[in-house]
Every structure is written in structure tokens, then in C-alpha cells.
Amino acid sequence: MQSENKPIIEVKNVSKFFDDKTALDNVNLSIRKGEFVTILGPSGCGKTTLLRLIAGFQTASEGTILINGKEITQTPPHKRPVNTVFQKYALFPHLNVYDNIAFGLKLKKMPKAEMTRKVMAALKMVGMTDYEYRDVNSLSGGQQQRVAIARAIVNEPEVLLLDEPLAALDLKMRKDMQMELKEMHKTLGITFVYVTHDQEEALTLSDTIVVMSEGKIQQTGTPTDIYNEPVNSFVADFIGESNILNGIMKKDRLVSFCGKDFECVDEGFGENVPVDVVIRPEDLYIFPASDKTKAQLRGVVQSCIFKGVHYEMVVLCDGYEFTVQDYHAFEAGKEVGLIVKPFDIHIMKKERICNAFEGRMKDETHVEFLGCEFECMHADMSDRSKDWEHVTVNVDFDKIELLDNAEDGILTGEVKFILYKGNHYHLTVLSDWDENVFVDTNDVWDDGDRVGISIRPEDIRVTFK
Ligand SMILES: Nc1ncnc2c1ncn2[C@@H]1O[C@H](COP(=O)(O)OP(=O)(O)OP(=O)(O)O)[C@@H](O)[C@H]1O
């Protein structure tokens, strides 16, 4: 389906707050007519909220939403040219398939013959011809979801909003339905806005993927763009498996990681600048160490599992683990060489190189930040020209201590996101003060773990604005 260039939905500077929780933070998005757009992100990132604002089930706290160039921020759902399919089928259990689909048309008092024609056409579209008199309770999950889709498209909306419509189905059914949805999108020619946390589903279905995290859009682009050119390590990690390592951009087209220099194609980062290096597992060429080919990295295979089409191996090279995919198996214990081509090394600007918090000095040895008072190294506060009420507190990622027993910390938080960087984990911990604390550690934590957070006085660096 070729999308026309005209935007059908425009989301402008939209934020949504629930009390002091920010579900959407200044979101801007333009969706073209006929496009299949997928909003992708981890649980709690705000995707459903964004869809509900477009549907009209909730209103934006700030910003505007336009459909067909008309502001509809305050328009009720039934007056918008959109229909929604939810994860839970939400069919009326006491009505049969026909009556479920015809429900909206009956409300509009549509003549019977026209209504029957439309319901039958919708049933045909979802591959359920001959099911019109079936009791919906006798249908499988997949069939119920087809009926729910038929009920949405029978109203001929300009936009179909789909909120994880396949999440409750088993894998086989999900794959079949994905193909059917893509066909339906082609045939109907209308705009689909699809919400999912499943990256494979997003890559398979979409013309455009919108990657979200923590209420913000991280990247918008075609599946190939997002896969090949992720803008940051979050997107790289979320879209498919990646090797993500700390590196130093030595100069244009030369990056160092894993203790070695590699040619790459990126320019303009400056000299000796810390960067994130991303290499897809399928872009690492693996061969026996005995080969004559000159290896860039040498290592030992730690594990090898069959993934259906290819093998996935973890190779340990100089203390760094690399995930490698290949059609040939290299068994655990085997010595191997690795090569990566310059254009397969993706360089990403680091969003930050240490934690930075706003704080204020309480006295010469105490500073307040993250909602708590921390002991710090002695500061001479006799200089009255300095603003002791507004200081910046820097703490290196590896100087934040996480504790199993949340009560043992100065403050507490929850592990939100874990990035493996080859030889350590980079964690995002959301403190109970609702600020992110970034932590480098070798300890293994899980998403959702409650942790105590502690920082030693000598690791707290206070600077003045
Ligand atoms: N009605 C509400 N009241 C309070 N907080 C809410 C409400 N709805 C959503 N939130 C919060 O807003 C944030 C975003 O929620 P949202 O449901 O949009 O996320 P999501 O990405 O769709 O996640 P999931 O995939 O788990 O549904 C979450 O932190 C959630 O707890």
C-alpha cells in the first residue's frame, strides 16, 4: 500500500499527566493517510495512553491532536473517524457474531439490506464467512479477535486503532493473524495505528515504527532505518538483539573498543570521545581460529544454541562477550576469530557519561539531591558569591551501589531497564523520587527488582552553576 503524503493524524506537543506521573512527555507525531504505523515500546512507556488520546477515550493534559487537519483534542470518541480494536476481544457475549458486528450500524438505524451487505463484507474481510449465526462464546480466541476487527471495520473508519490486538493469542495464531492484518490493511487502504511491545511484530507489519520509552518518542522511521540506524542504545537494544559496547571514537572513521582499534565509517564525533558501539549479531563474521583469515578479535565460544534457522553463539574475547549469529555451529570451547566490516559498526553518541543531579548544600558535609540528604566531602562554604542552593551533583555510573535489601539504601528505587555491555550491565533505576539513576555493575539484577541505592561521600562530586 503506497501511503499518500497528506497527514491524517497530527499529534502536536502532547503531554499527559496522571497526578504527578508523566505518561506522555511532549510527543510530536505525524501519521500519513494509508500508513501502517506501529507504536512500539516496553510496558509502561505510554503507548496505550497515546492511542487512547487519538481515540478520544482520554484527553491530553497539554498539546493538540488533529485528524484531517481539524483539531479534535476535545471531540468525543464516537465523533472521530476512528475505531479501536482492543487486546481483550470486548465482544457482547449475549449477541451472536452477526449482531456483534451489526451493533454500531443498528444504532445508526441503517436499512436492513445495506446492513447485511456490510456485515457480510466485513466477515469476508476477516475470513469468517458463514460464521454469522455462531455464538461468540463458541469461538476460539483468534476467531473472536477477527470478529472484533470486523466490528471495527464495518463502520468504515478512516483510521483503525489496534491496541495489542494479538497479545492474547498463541504464537502460531499470532503469526497467521499478522499476515492477515497486513493483507487487510492493503485491501482496506485505511490508516492503521498499531500498538505493541513485540519488536518482531512491529518489524513485520509496519510502514513506520515509532519507538517510545518513558513517555517520549525515541525514534520514528521505517523498520529498516530503525533496525540499521538506531539513534541510541535503547532503540538498538529494544529492536532486536545487539552487541552494545562502550567505545572511544579516536578520530573520524576510527573507533576503539575491546582494547583494539577498528575502522568504521562514522565521522564528526570529535577526537577521543566516549561513544556506544552497536554491532548486530549477524554482522559478526565467525570462523575457526585455525583459518588463515586475519581475525580482528579472537575468542572462545561460551555457548551455542540452535534458533530455528541460524545458530546463536556467545564468544568471549578479552573479557568481552559478543553474541554472534551464523548458519554454521561453532561448539562451546572452540577457538574462533571474528571480523566486522567498517559499515556494520554503528557509532552512537552517548546520552550521558555520568549521573548529573540537581542538588543543594545543606551544610559543609551534606548535600541534598534525589530527595535525600547525602554525606559528601568537606566543602568550604565561606565563599558567599557561590549559589549553594543550586549545585550540580555528579556521580559516576560505577560508583552507585545497589543493595538487595531496599531499606539498607539511603533511598530506594526500581530497576527499569537493563543493557548488557559485553562485560558489565548498564542499569536504569527509577528512584522513588521519580528520577533516573544510571548504574554500571557486574551484579545480575532483573527488571522490576526493588533496590536500595547508596553512594559513598568520596564518590559525590559537587559543582556550582
Ligand atoms: N488512568 C491512569 N492513572 C494513573 N496512571 C496511569 C493511568 N493510565 C496509565 N498510567 C500510567 O502511565 C504510564 C503509561 O501507561 P500506558 O498504559 O500508556 O503504557 P503502555 O506503554 O501502554 O504499557 P503496557 O504495554 O503495559 O500497557 C504508566 O506508568 C501507567 O502506570
Side-chain angles (χ1 to χ4, degrees):
M1 166 79 215
Q2 272 301 309
S3 311
E4 291 172 32
N5 272 332
K6 229 165 103 189
I8 185 161
I9 298 172
E10 290 162 275
V11 176
K12 294 186 176 174
N13 306 106
V14 163
S15 295
K16 177 72 181 171
F17 312 113
F18 295 106
D19 300 322
D20 53 359
K21 166 95 209 159
T22 305
L24 292 177
D25 187 0
N26 195 24
V27 167
N28 284 285
L29 179 64
S30 175
I31 297 176
R32 283 170 290 135
K33 238 185 178 130
E35 212 177 356
F36 196 130
V37 174
T38 300
I39 303 167
L40 173 70
S43 180
C45 73
K47 358 181 241 308
T48 301
T49 303
L50 179 55
L51 201 77
R52 292 176 74 82
L53 293 186
I54 297 172
F57 300 125
Q58 278 166 347
T59 34
S61 311
E62 285 171 6
T64 49
I65 300 177
L66 285 82
I67 298 187
N68 284 325
K70 214 174 112 214
E71 214 216 288
I72 48 96
T73 318
Q74 302 296 334
T75 310
H78 64 279
K79 295 210 169 137
R80 300 182 183 203
V82 305
N83 261 97
T84 310
V85 179
F86 300 96
Q87 177 181 342
K88 298 271 161 45
Y89 323 121
L91 298 174
F92 301 116
H94 57 287
L95 299 179
N96 66 18
V97 169
Y98 182 97
D99 290 331
N100 258 287
I101 300 173
F103 190 82
L105 305 180
K106 280 185 184 163
L107 285 183
K108 286 187 198 157
K109 306 222 181 325
M110 182 174 282
K112 194 147 187 294
E114 191 187 348
M115 183 160 69
T116 305
R117 192 177 52 72
K118 284 194 188 254
V119 172
M120 298 319 275
L123 274 173
K124 184 158 182 256
M125 179 66 79
V126 297
M128 296 268 300
T129 315
D130 298 337
Y131 278 74
E132 66 265 38
Y133 298 117
R134 283 281 291 271
D135 177 354
V136 290
N137 301 305
S138 72
L139 302 177
S140 72
Q143 289 168 335
Q144 290 193 32
Q145 201 56 316
R146 284 194 173 88
V147 176
I149 294 169
R151 194 175 62 177
I153 61 178
V154 81
N155 296 310
E156 296 168 2
E158 289 182 62
V159 181
L160 191 62
L161 305 175
L162 302 115
D163 190 0
E164 307 229 19
L166 311 183
L169 307 180
D170 64 44
L171 184 66
K172 170 83 175 68
M173 177 69 81
R174 206 155 66 223
K175 295 272 170 212
D176 291 348
M177 286 285 284
Q178 282 174 7
M179 290 305 120
E180 286 177 33
L181 274 173
K182 217 166 156 58
E183 272 309 306
M184 255 183 248
H185 173 248
K186 253 194 221 160
T187 321
L188 286 166
I190 62 173
T191 311
F192 277 34
V193 184
Y194 193 96
V195 159
T196 185
H197 63 269
D198 181 337
Q199 49 276 50
E200 253 185 72
E201 192 159 280
L203 290 169
T204 312
L205 290 174
S206 329
D207 297 321
T208 302
I209 299 179
V210 178
V211 186
M212 288 189 65
S213 155
E214 291 171 24
K216 291 195 184 110
I217 294 182
Q218 301 289 324
Q219 188 170 5
T220 304
T222 63
T224 346
D225 280 350
I226 300 253
Y227 191 84
N228 289 331
E229 298 297 333
V231 291
N232 56 37
S233 51
F234 171 83
V235 177
D237 183 63
F238 198 69
I239 300 277
E241 225 169 319
S242 270
N243 295 291
I244 303 174
L245 304 162
N246 287 336
I248 300 282
M249 198 69 187
K250 290 214 157 155
K251 55 179 187 175
D252 281 352
R253 299 184 299 285
L254 189 71
V255 63
S256 141
F257 56 90
C258 210
K260 293 198 168 63
D261 289 350
F262 292 79
E263 258 182 65
C264 61
V265 294
D266 298 77
E267 297 180 350
F269 283 82
E271 291 190 2
N272 296 317
V273 175
V275 289
D276 279 324
V277 178
V278 175
I279 305 171
R280 297 283 180 197
E282 63 273 25
D283 291 336
L284 279 160
Y285 173 57
I286 180 169
F287 49 90
S290 54
D291 255 25
K292 291 272 181 291
T293 322
K294 197 166 167 1
Q296 287 171 307
L297 291 163
R298 287 185 178 277
V300 177
V301 177
Q302 307 294 299
S303 65
C304 173
I305 46 172
F306 185 49
K307 287 274 191 154
V309 181
H310 59 258
Y311 292 87
E312 190 168 284
M313 281 120 342
V314 173
V315 180
L316 185 66
C317 309
D318 295 329
Y320 289 84
E321 283 183 341
F322 286 86
T323 302
V324 183
Q325 288 174 356
D326 201 276
Y327 294 113
H328 302 101
F330 291 81
E331 296 306 330
K334 197 161 174 56
E335 286 184 29
V336 293
L338 298 178
I339 285 182
V340 55
K341 299 201 177 86
F343 53 81
D344 286 330
I345 297 176
H346 305 287
I347 307 293
M348 262 153 252
K349 193 170 165 278
K350 272 189 188 293
E351 277 173 54
R352 59 191 77 76
I353 48 171
C354 71
N355 286 288
F357 309 108
E358 309 241 312
R360 70 187 179 110
M361 293 303 291
K362 299 287 283 184
D363 59 41
E364 294 193 325
T365 52
H366 291 90
V367 57
E368 187 183 274
F369 60 98
L370 287 169
C372 297
E373 194 173 304
F374 289 79
E375 194 185 332
C376 62
M377 301 306 277
H378 184 270
D380 178 5
M381 288 175 73
S382 57
D383 187 348
R384 297 250 160 214
S385 68
K386 286 181 175 163
D387 183 359
W388 297 96
E389 285 293 309
H390 298 95
V391 298
T392 299
V393 178
N394 290 118
V395 184
D396 290 335
F397 299 141
D398 60 352
K399 298 295 190 217
I400 305 253
E401 198 184 352
L402 296 185
L403 306 155
D404 260 325
N405 196 355
E407 283 73 49
D408 292 346
I410 298 172
L411 75 156
T412 54
E414 189 179 315
V415 177
K416 280 284 181 196
F417 182 61
I418 303 170
L419 197 64
Y420 185 53
K421 300 200 101 177
N423 65 345
H424 69 275
Y425 297 94
H426 184 70
L427 270 46
T428 306
V429 178
L430 183 66
S431 79
D432 293 342
W433 198 245
D434 224 9
E435 259 189 88
N436 283 330
V437 180
F438 301 96
V439 186
D440 280 350
T441 174
N442 287 312
D443 297 335
V444 181
W445 297 93
D446 281 325
D447 269 341
D449 277 350
R450 298 277 319 153
V451 289
I453 300 170
S454 169
I455 310 167
R456 291 185 308 180
E458 59 269 37
D459 295 326
I460 294 174
R461 295 195 302 276
V462 178
T463 49
F464 304 95
K465 300 201 168 168

